Amino acid sequence: MKRIGILTSGGDAPGMNAAIRAVTKTAIHHGLEVFGIRYGFAGLVAGDFVPLTAEDVDHKISQGGTFLYSARFPEFAQEEVQKKGAEQLREHGIDAVIVIGGDGSYHGALALTRLGINSIGLPGTIDNDIPYTDYTIGYDSACRTAMDAIDKIRDTASSHHRVFIVNVMGRECGDIAMRVGVASGADAIVIPERPYDVQEIAETIKQNFADGKDHGLVVLAEGVMSAEDFRKELLKYGDFDARANVLGHMQRGGSPTVEDRVNATKMGNYAVNLLLDGKGGLAVGMDGGKLNTHDILDLFDGKHHGDFTLLDVNKEMTKN
């Protein structure tokens, strides 16, 4: 192996650049050439490759987003398109690829491995919804951004004795909502993986107001329903001054946290060493803070399990 490629695919996440930096500098340390593949799998098929040096990536560790850019490219699910991508890699002398992205990106990495281009997947998604890993690159930064925003929302909620329903990202995974809800002192956390009772939530908020609390806060995962729809449901059980707020894509942006920078660096370094050992078709993850790998194929049948004890902790603290 003399030359490797790296691409980012799907939604951007803080820490992707830190991972690209780690891959590049580790590979160069081992005498390899590195090519960045711009715009994900779309750029792979189009041959949009750029050489990367240590100087190109040195200052990227603190930057959010992905300087290699990203794009949705569902066409890569087609076998003939996958073969075009593999042909582009061979024409450019690229022997292996590291793919940073979510579960959809892993399908592409597995396809390339089956076509003879060893590929390693790194979990780059703020949703934290990848099986067999406690952590995905960008998750901690997204939680920090959401928490900071909710802290500001609480200021205006307290000033007017309002209830705010704050919608956070995560698709069908409630990890951001749970972590941020606990960190923000929410009256209720609503996620798609667990049942909820809007009337019970309304009664909790009423009781908290009666006990002297000057605001209400519900943290709602986007996979449940919209914040406005939840607000309408809540108003069926109480005469609240309630507002809906959607944090949206701001959660993907911003400088990555220390945790995201360090873990992305560790994962990127580990991925290169896996390729040097001749391995492919693997996804890198973390279990209890330690790096691990699983066959990518196993992830498609696996299921991510969030820390649902956070719901129990939060509920216990909001019940007087």
Side-chain angles (χ1 to χ4, degrees):
M1 188 174 67
K2 297 180 179 179
R3 182 177 289 180
I4 68 171
I6 181 168
L7 65 84
T8 51
S9 177
D12 62 299
M16 281 184 164
N17 285 331
I20 296 168
R21 173 183 178 272
V23 167
T24 302
K25 292 178 75 71
T26 302
I28 291 172
H29 172 79
H30 288 283
L32 303 176
E33 292 181 83
V34 184
F35 275 73
I37 302 167
R38 305 200 311 167
Y39 301 104
F41 290 104
L44 169 62
V45 174
D48 192 351
F49 303 166
V50 292
L52 296 178
T53 67
E55 290 74 21
D56 292 329
V57 300
D58 261 336
H59 65 291
K60 300 294 187 182
I61 193 167
S62 63
Q63 294 183 8
T66 164
F67 77 92
L68 291 179
Y69 310 115
S70 187
R72 307 285 185 184
F73 191 59
E75 293 86 348
F76 204 73
Q78 302 169 20
E79 185 176 357
E80 61 270 23
V81 179
Q82 295 167 2
K83 289 179 178 178
K84 288 180 181 178
E87 289 170 7
Q88 285 281 16
L89 291 168
R90 292 191 178 97
E91 287 178 8
H92 287 79
I94 295 175
D95 307 298
V97 176
I98 292 173
V99 175
I100 308 172
D103 52 0
S105 305
Y106 283 3
H107 281 86
L110 182 60
L112 291 175
T113 300
R114 287 173 170 171
L115 290 170
I117 308 290
N118 272 348
S119 300
I120 302 293
L122 298 186
T125 168
I126 68 168
D127 300 332
N128 206 49
D129 60 351
I130 303 294
Y132 304 117
T133 182
D134 298 334
Y135 159 90
T136 61
I137 296 168
Y139 169 59
D140 186 64
S141 299
C143 288
R144 180 199 61 185
T145 297
M147 183 188 69
D148 288 346
I150 291 172
D151 284 347
K152 294 176 174 63
I153 289 170
R154 187 191 298 108
D155 291 342
T156 192
S158 297
S159 298
H160 297 277
H161 282 70
R162 285 176 180 154
V163 177
F164 270 82
I165 296 93
V166 182
N167 176 277
V168 297
M169 295 181 84
R171 295 194 298 179
E172 297 302 317
C173 178
D175 281 23
I176 292 176
M178 288 190 291
R179 195 176 185 202
V180 171
V182 170
S184 303
D187 296 285
I189 302 168
V190 186
I191 62 172
E193 300 98 322
R194 288 291 184 268
Y196 61 92
D197 186 329
V198 178
Q199 184 174 4
E200 181 182 354
I201 292 170
E203 294 302 321
T204 296
I205 294 172
K206 288 178 188 177
Q207 186 60 54
N208 288 342
F209 274 128
D211 292 338
K213 192 173 181 181
D214 60 7
H215 71 283
L217 174 63
V218 178
V219 176
L220 174 72
E222 66 179 350
V224 178
M225 66 175 75
S226 72
E228 180 58 28
D229 285 344
F230 193 92
R231 186 189 75 88
K232 292 176 181 177
E233 290 296 312
L234 188 69
L235 291 178
K236 294 178 181 178
Y237 303 102
D239 184 20
F240 303 112
D241 181 3
R243 306 296 171 93
N245 192 285
V246 180
L247 298 187
H249 288 79
M250 67 180 293
Q251 292 160 90
R252 286 190 185 170
S255 182
T257 60
V258 170
E259 182 173 10
D260 274 328
R261 297 185 198 193
V262 171
N263 288 342
T265 299
K266 290 166 64 176
M267 286 181 165
N269 172 267
Y270 188 41
V272 173
N273 282 284
L274 289 171
L275 291 177
L276 287 167
D277 289 339
K279 297 178 180 178
L282 298 176
V284 174
M286 299 191 83
D287 183 9
K290 295 183 179 180
L291 293 166
N292 62 27
T293 59
H294 286 273
D295 288 340
I296 291 178
L297 191 61
D298 292 342
L299 271 65
F300 303 147
D301 295 323
K303 182 175 176 59
H304 169 73
H305 298 284
D307 183 7
F308 299 114
T309 62
L310 292 172
L311 288 179
D312 299 327
V313 168
N314 198 71
K315 198 166 187 178
E316 190 173 341
M317 294 177 65
T318 55
K319 287 288 187 182
N320 294 322

